[in-house]
Structure formats: structure tokens, C-alpha cells
Amino acid sequence: MAREQNMTKKAVVLGIDIGGTTSSFGFVEQDGTCFAETTIPTRPREPAEYLVTSLCKRAREAFAPFAAGHELKGIGIGAPNANYYTGIVQRPINLDWDEEVPLAELFHSQFGLPVAVTNDANAAALGEMKYGAARGMRNFISITLGTGLGSGIVVNGEIVYGSDGFAGELGHTVVDPAGRMCSCGKRGCLETYVSAPGLCRTAFSLLAERTEESVLRAFSFQALTAKDVFTAACNKDCLALEAFAVTGRILGVKLADAVAHTSPEAFIFHGGLAASGDLLLVAAKRSMEENLLSIYRGRIPLLLSGLQGLNAGVLGAGALIWNEIKL
Amino acid sequence: MAREQNMTKKAVVLGIDIGGTTSSFGFVEQDGTCFAETTIPTRPREPAEYLVTSLCKRAREAFAPFAAGHELKGIGIGAPNANYYTGIVQRPINLDWDEEVPLAELFHSQFGLPVAVTNDANAAALGEMKYGAARGMRNFISITLGTGLGSGIVVNGEIVYGSDGFAGELGHTVVDPAGRMCSCGKRGCLETYVSAPGLCRTAFSLLAERTEESVLRAFSFQALTAKDVFTAACNKDCLALEAFAVTGRILGVKLADAVAHTSPEAFIFHGGLAASGDLLLVAAKRSMEENLLSIYRGRIPLLLSGLQGLNAGVLGAGALIWNEIKL
């Protein structure tokens, strides 16, 4: 009887999305049904072990009411600078963790289950492929526009990890080698132009160059957010509109470059800035088309995430481990 | 007896390299031993069928003396704009062929053997992976510097063909959207700066901007070749040296972008301009390193082809079909 009951249990995985300020988890069935979603503060100044212990404790508590009907099969984790090959998080920029944290090992020792990790942008791509806008696609690029520009490149149905697990960093491709300072230490990286802070920097640059009236002239650099620029643009503020147009043009050129590398079927956009939609993407599409070889033109859509309103990070982490385990 | 003799025959493939002015073929054993290499004029103004008929006839003649000891197992072809997925050559720039030529089908109907086609740059990458400088590598990028800039991207041991078979066109990534006119119809493509003609254009631009003496001041634009710039640079002509330095810097920035896409173990260079070696590659390496994220720095060598002195195009085409057939 006990055995029979066990056989009818539904397989489920734990998807964990670790961010710089909050971390989320949820239990993800193979069809993408997600339950017991929970968000906890990351406490970035504490060592990694603190977060791992909290997550494990809270996940066990959240799973308890479902344990009779579900069997946990594995754990997928999306985290900044997490390396799929090694299971290690290396020097995450916004977390005061050790230089190298063996995240997969830490979770494996707690649960004794298969664990896979990857960076948050790759997890987002996997989520789109399994549950979102990229279902059925074998070649696409997912781009997350938030405080930075993250990307996941899919070729032949698989994330491109490259020789070291660190492929797919389009946010640090070069717009201008002598351009804006980037938090990575380089200059002119794409994400210094195309990201929420990048949009604000462009707005400030336009405020300096132009003389038109703009509501943005009332903001300090510290106070201005991408949301403010978005609101101003929706109200037809011409400098805010121009800030989006400039951002879109730069994005489009680098999308064209990405096409020349891996020739995707589509780009899929996530994140706060992507939610500004046409304001950004119409200019990006025009600029991409202008910079594409004719063989690629007119067939690569810029799509919004198919996981809006859902916890894309948790679903992506779930998709990651679903791809690894055999039932 | 006849059967026994047949069983001792050595397996061999026909590798064909179709170029804008000449085409070559040779018979390639699995270990890369190549025999009966032959070069014929391409006659680019004739229809494709003319070249196919000539190549088939000449290949049969060349194979005849070896037929007793060898069995032909397949045909690999590298050709401009050849699409691996469809077997079709689409609008090759330097050939007056029909819009679409079903190259794989034409050869299959002649020999009744497996045929695979790809563009010449991808064939070069496959040749390096099987017989050259990329043996043992699973992730690398091969770059051919000649009249254009061709590239083949290898991820997880396989050429990246993308959604349409046309991935890996790094020569048409964007250096400057308002930059030099390219034969593809766009502006500012990498190959307008980094290629044999690109080097000459940069030399002419420097002649206009600078006032230093230079032997290059005696050349017409028509007359100047990359070889002349190379010779002048070897003789310490400062403008020729600067032309190489500028070319290398631009190349390095785009190599850094390519690393951020697919994180290769190495870049491997072919072609006439690559033969200028350190003159170009020292500046390229420095500029690449300056534009790389720290996680990638110091570990990606710029290597010269491991097939120098050999017919890399024929070996690459041979490698292409060797990867497809089962013995």
C-alpha cells in the first residue's frame, strides 16, 4: 500500500532564483505548474551559507503540506555568476560572498538530490524555452533588461555555455571602447547604455546636450529612475522619447551583431525596462534591420517574455533541472 | 577473392573547395592524408552546372588510378554562401550562378554518395578541428582573413549553423553603423576594416590624415595591395605599421565581443592577411584583452592555422563529410 501510494506521487522540482536583494523559490511540475512560491530577503552582506540554510529550511517547511502527494526530484538554481559546469558561484558582484561558493554542492549535501546551477539570465532563457515565448524554438536569444543586461544564448536547443561556462554575456560586448565606465571595470559595455541605469545616463547626457524643455530637468541623477523616463516618454516629453530612441538604436546594432554570430529565430525580452515595450523595441527593431545582412532581414522578431506575471526566475530554475533529470 | 579485395579497400572522401576564381579537390583519408589534389579554374561567369560537370569529370579521372585500393564514401564541399541545412548555394557574391543552386543534389545525382555542403569559412573551421590547430578543442572560432573576413563558430564540438544555416558571419558585425561602405550593401561591417582590402582602405585613410613620409604615397588605390602594406611595415614604414595597428585594434574589439557570445578556447586565423602574423595579431590581442570581462582575460590565444602549406579548403571539406558518414 505504501509503495502504491509512492508510485502515484507527482514528480516536482525545486526552482530557486537568487537575486541581489531578494531570493525566491517554488516547486515546479513538469508542465510548469508552480506552487508554494516564497520570497525571502537575500541579505547580501551575510556569507552564502546563511542564505543556503534559510532557503533549505523555508523550502522544507513550504514543501511539507505537499509531501504526501509529491516527490521532489531535483533542485535548479539561477544565481548571479553561477557556473553550470562547476556548480560554483564566482565573485557575484552584488553579494559579499566568498570568492568561490560551491552552491550546487551546498544544496546537494542538504537534500541528496541532483542539483544544477546557472546564471539568472540563462535560467530565464530555459524558462522561456520550456514554458514561455520560445516554446518550440531551437535557436534564440533571451535578453533581460534591468539593472544590467543579461543574456542567454540557445543554439540547437541548448544553452551556449562555451569553454568555461561563462558564454552569453552580451551586456559586456563593446559599444564604444572609449565610452561609459562600466561596473565591470571596462568602458563602453552595452549595459552602460541599454539597461535601466543606462537609459538614465542617456537621459542625463541629452539634458546636457540639448536645450529643449523636459520634466527630467527637475531630477537629480540620484533620484532619476527608468520609470521616471518611461512616464515622461508616455507624456510625450521629447527628451525622454529621444532617450528611448537612442537606447533602442544602440540595442539594435548589437542585436544585429548577435544575429551574425548565432542566427537566432527570435529575441525574447524580460525585465523592467523591457516592459516599456514599443518605446524601446520599435527603435531597436529598425536599427537591427538596418544593420543585418540581407539574408537575415525581416524574419527575426523581438518578442516580450511569455512568462509575464509569473515568477520567470523560479520557472527558469525549474526548467534547468527538469532538463537534467530522467523520470 | 573479389570480396576480400573489396574489404581491404581504404575508405576515402572527396573534398571540394569552390572559390571565386579557382576550385580545388582532393581525396582525403580519415587521418587527413590527402592525394590527387587538383585545381581547376572556376569560370565564375559560367552557370554552376558547368563547374559541377568539370569537377565530376576531373575527380573521376584523378581517382581512377587509386580505385583499386580505395573506396569513395562521400563528398564534402565548401563553397561561398553554401547552406549546410538545405545543400543549396544562395546568391554567391562572386559567381554568376542562378539565385539558388542545389549543389548537394547535383553532386549526389552524379555519384550516388552522401554529400554535405557548407560555406568555405565553416569548412576551414572543421578542417582545423579534425586535422589542424583546433584538434581536441570543443569551443573555438576560426577566422579567415582574405578579400573578406569569414568565420566559423564551433560550440560543443559542432559548427553553429543557427536557425537558417547562415550563422557565423562575423565579417558583417558592425564596427560603425555610419562607417565604410561594404560590398554587402551595409555600412561599417568588420570586413571593411579587417581584411586585405580593409587594410588598404585604412592605409589610404592614414595617408590622408597624416603628414609622415611613406612609401605608400607612391601607390594608386587601384594598385595598392595588402602585400605592399605588409612589405612597407616590415621595412618600418610608420604609416604601414600604423595601418596594421589600427586594423588589429578594431579586430581585437570584435574578438572580445565574440568571446562574450560563445566563450571560445581560442581563435584560429587563416588566409593571406593572417600570414602577416604578429604585425596584426599583437595589436589584436592587446585590444581584445582590454575589452574582455575579467573572467575571460589571459586565457584565449590567437593561433595561426595548423594547416599551413596544406590545402585547408580541401581538408575542411573532407572533414565536413567525414563527420557525417558512418564506416
Side-chain angles (χ1 to χ4, degrees), chain A residues 153 162-164 166-170 172-174 184 186 254 257-258 260-265 291-293 296 299, chain B residues 153 162-164 166-170 172-174 184 186 254 257-258 260-265 291-293 296 299:
Chain A
I153 302 174
S163 61
D164 54 2
F166 290 122
E169 288 286 355
L170 302 198
H172 298 279
T173 57
V174 184
C184 77
K186 299 200 296 154
K254 300 308 272 187
D257 270 15
H261 280 81
T262 59
S263 188
E265 281 165 70
N291 288 285
L292 283 179
L293 273 183
Y296 304 123
R299 62 161 190 78
Chain B
I153 302 174
S163 61
D164 54 1
F166 290 122
E169 287 287 354
L170 301 198
H172 298 279
T173 58
V174 184
C184 77
K186 299 199 297 152
K254 299 309 273 185
D257 270 16
H261 280 80
T262 60
S263 188
E265 282 166 68
N291 289 284
L292 283 180
L293 273 183
Y296 304 124
R299 63 162 189 77

Side-chain angles (χ1 to χ4, degrees), chain A residues 204 207 215-225 228-229:
Chain A
F204 260 71
L207 291 171
V215 296
L216 304 180
R217 294 199 186 277
F219 287 82
S220 73
F221 190 88
Q222 261 179 344
L224 187 70
T225 66
D228 297 320
V229 185

Side-chain angles (χ1 to χ4, degrees), chain B residues 6-91:
Chain B
N6 194 43
M7 286 184 67
T8 60
K9 279 189 178 186
K10 206 158 190 179
V12 74
V13 297
L14 172 58
I16 301 175
D17 177 33
I18 296 178
T21 50
T22 62
S23 296
S24 307
F25 67 82
F27 297 90
V28 184
E29 296 176 9
Q30 195 156 21
D31 67 0
T33 306
C34 188
F35 61 82
E37 281 177 70
T38 308
T39 297
I40 67 171
T42 297
R43 301 213 191 170
R45 306 284 81 87
E46 302 283 339
E49 289 70 15
Y50 172 87
L51 179 64
V52 172
T53 308
S54 311
L55 278 170
C56 290
K57 182 168 173 287
R58 294 294 298 272
R60 282 187 217 280
E61 289 167 7
F63 189 62
F66 300 93
H70 293 80
E71 187 182 354
L72 193 60
K73 302 296 260 183
I75 300 167
I77 308 169
N81 284 26
N83 189 311
Y84 173 79
Y85 288 144
T86 61
I88 288 172
V89 171
Q90 282 186 280
R91 287 176 267 169

Side-chain angles (χ1 to χ4, degrees), chain B residues 109-120:
Chain B
S109 70
Q110 288 274 340
F111 286 89
L113 290 170
V115 181
V117 311
T118 192
N119 76 39
D120 35 358

